[in-house]
Amino acid sequence: MDFPYAERLQQLPPYLFAELDKAKEEAIAKGMDVIDLGVGDPDIPTPPHIVEALKKAAENPVNHRYPSYVGMLSFRQAVAEWYERRFGIKLDPKKEVLTLIGSKEGIAHLPLAFINPGNVSLVPTPAYPVYHIGTLFAGGKSYFMPLLEENNFLPDLDKIPPDVARQAKIMFLNYPNNPTAAVAEEEFFERVIAFAKKYEILVCHDAAYTELYYDGYKPISFLNVPEAKEVGIEIHSLSKTYNMTGWRIGFAVGNEKVIAGLGKIKSNVDSGVFQAVQEAGIVALKTDESIIEANRKVYQERRDLMVEGLREIGIEVNPPRATFYLWTKVPKGYTSASFCALLLKEAGIVVTPGNGFGETGEGYFRIALTVDKERLKEAINRLKKLGF
Ligand SMILES: *Cc1c(COP(=O)(O)O)cnc(C)c1O
């Protein structure tokens, strides 16, 4: 029997990393010592006191039953306290906070609650692929907002045609940004809010990287900007802040009606996050800042080492003020794909071709600083031998 895939699967964009994944597998099979700077997944383990909290909570039979759909109130309270401590923002844990099975889950499900077939999402490019794919799965269309270096990788809202804006229901944003490592200031968010009000668009700000910042810079929350809560939500995750990518826990905060809409979808699709993970999440959110500070120091040292190493071989890169990524132009004469293929073949180094995040990423590559300093030094030495 044939099982033809639904159109939404047939519409999925080609997976541009397939060739690179294959080349990487082959290199490893051949015994090559591959340095993987491709994946945005912290190599540092979850702090031990959080792991201990999970163990203890896993032993409590109360946690073996179905969790509450919207998340335990105690977890949502911990989120509200964390937001107040970190950003000075007050949230009602009952109405303005929703627990997610990681931010990816919340982002993917949001369009199901607000997009009708044919509606438009405003989606940055290059970007984390889930904004576009969540829109597709809901029967919507994406209008891509290019993130260009000349605009500090912020979308140019004036370039969005008014008839597109009128059909748009959601605008996705993500600062500090993956993959460009760009940051956004209050002034930009103010313009976003004015735009969203004018065209009645829900803003969904993905804030996964707000805790990975350097050089005394400290990112703001979208909700720090006046009237943000009237137009949207912010999605956050414990993944990058506490090295908990495998745990699958995140949260959405902000506009009550939007939170309730997303909650309606979720209560019909999943049954919430394992309560033991939520208990550990509470402990994480109460974690002493010094642990996160130590994390930042590790990434900052790696960043400095890599920026310096790239400069020595003639690849200019501005040290990012946040995230654990370097977003860098490929040397002259290469495309994103040809350069990344060369690095793998000749130096055993995996980096991500920029066009994999959308066509606007062509001409760039992304380095994830998720390996230790020794491996980064080794990568730099190999690059020096290659020469450009
Ligand atoms: C890593 C990342 C996340 C976090 O995803 P989780 O599902 O919470 O692990 C969200 N958004 C972006 C842009 C990311 O890079």
Side-chain angles (χ1 to χ4, degrees):
M1 215 169 118
D2 188 23
F3 300 99
Y5 289 135
E7 277 160 26
R8 68 178 64 81
L9 282 194
Q10 294 172 21
Q11 279 172 13
L12 280 179
Y15 180 66
L16 283 170
F17 304 133
E19 234 168 276
L20 194 70
D21 285 352
K22 203 170 131 226
K24 179 175 139 190
E25 292 306 315
E26 282 168 10
I28 292 169
K30 270 193 249 159
M32 200 174 204
D33 173 30
V34 171
I35 303 175
D36 194 344
L37 307 178
V39 285
D41 188 355
D43 57 312
I44 309 164
T46 307
H49 70 289
I50 300 173
V51 178
E52 280 309 314
L54 172 75
K55 286 186 192 163
K56 215 172 114 214
E59 282 173 359
N60 184 351
V62 168
N63 294 332
H64 299 170
R65 311 192 65 194
Y66 283 121
S68 132
Y69 291 153
V70 289
M72 298 163 77
L73 183 58
S74 52
F75 178 79
R76 288 178 289 142
Q77 270 162 346
V79 168
E81 280 162 27
W82 185 86
Y83 249 75
E84 174 143 32
R85 207 169 63 235
R86 168 64 174 90
F87 298 115
I89 293 164
K90 282 200 194 324
L91 296 164
D92 178 346
K94 289 203 176 105
K95 295 180 181 155
E96 296 177 329
V97 182
L98 178 69
T99 307
L100 302 173
I101 310 173
S103 36
K104 185 177 189 177
E105 178 265 311
I107 293 163
H109 280 142
L110 183 71
L112 286 181
F114 296 97
I115 292 278
N116 282 315
N119 287 162
V120 170
S121 288
L122 303 173
V123 174
T125 178
Y128 188 56
V130 189
Y131 316 129
H132 170 53
I133 290 172
T135 299
L136 263 187
F137 282 1
K141 293 182 291 197
S142 297
Y143 175 85
F144 290 104
M145 307 182 290
L147 305 186
L148 305 176
E149 194 156 354
E150 69 216 47
N151 299 328
N152 300 316
F153 301 109
L154 300 171
D156 184 348
L157 304 179
D158 297 333
K159 290 258 163 73
I160 301 168
D163 59 319
V164 171
R166 278 190 287 270
Q167 293 169 52
K169 299 293 170 202
I170 305 179
M171 177 190 285
F172 288 102
L173 293 170
N174 162 226
Y175 293 97
N177 184 261
N178 173 18
T180 68
V183 295
E185 308 299 343
E186 179 153 1
E187 188 265 336
F188 169 70
F189 286 140
E190 281 168 0
R191 279 188 282 129
V192 167
I193 292 165
F195 186 90
K197 285 182 132 180
K198 179 171 176 191
Y199 292 107
E200 298 188 9
I201 296 170
L202 185 179
V203 177
C204 174
H205 182 242
D206 176 355
Y209 293 96
T210 59
E211 302 320 294
L212 301 183
Y213 53 78
Y214 317 108
D215 307 329
Y217 177 78
K218 208 165 176 179
I220 58 166
S221 161
F222 176 62
L223 298 183
N224 278 130
V225 183
E227 301 178 75
K229 219 192 267 178
E230 284 172 40
V231 303
I233 60 168
E234 183 153 84
I235 296 204
H236 233 295
S237 170
L238 279 67
S239 287
K240 311 289 160 54
T241 308
Y242 302 103
N243 303 324
M244 291 176 71
T245 49
W247 296 58
R248 312 314 304 136
I249 184 161
F251 48 90
V253 297
N255 186 279
E256 185 181 326
K257 173 100 192 275
V258 177
I259 293 289
L262 178 56
K264 260 187 209 277
I265 297 291
K266 283 177 56 57
S267 64
N268 285 287
V269 174
D270 63 65
S271 298
V273 175
F274 181 27
Q275 289 199 3
V277 169
Q278 294 189 59
E279 292 283 9
I282 293 170
V283 170
L285 290 167
K286 293 182 193 296
T287 290
D288 189 90
E289 191 64 20
S290 65
I291 291 184
I292 310 171
E293 187 53 44
N295 233 4
R296 285 192 280 266
K297 189 156 172 280
V298 168
Y299 289 126
Q300 179 155 355
E301 284 176 10
R302 293 175 180 178
R303 179 199 68 166
D304 293 344
L305 187 80
M306 201 65 203
V307 167
E308 184 62 32
L310 288 172
R311 277 186 183 156
E312 281 169 22
I313 52 175
I315 297 179
E316 195 50 41
V317 49
N318 288 327
R321 288 187 287 175
T323 78
F324 47 48
Y325 301 114
L326 299 180
W327 180 249
T328 312
K329 279 203 176 96
V330 299
K332 276 209 168 55
Y334 294 95
T335 62
S336 291
S338 70
F339 182 68
C340 295
L342 174 89
L343 286 200
L344 178 59
K345 186 158 173 273
E346 303 295 333
I349 297 171
V350 176
V351 296
T352 311
N355 61 322
F357 300 100
E359 274 168 42
T360 317
E362 176 54 48
Y364 291 85
F365 67 104
R366 191 193 74 178
I367 292 175
L369 299 167
T370 47
V371 304
D372 66 27
K373 279 204 286 188
E374 287 315 305
R375 293 296 275 169
L376 286 181
K377 280 183 195 157
E378 170 66 17
I380 292 164
N381 285 337
R382 291 186 196 177
L383 288 172
K384 279 183 183 159
K385 276 191 208 130
L386 253 185
F388 293 104

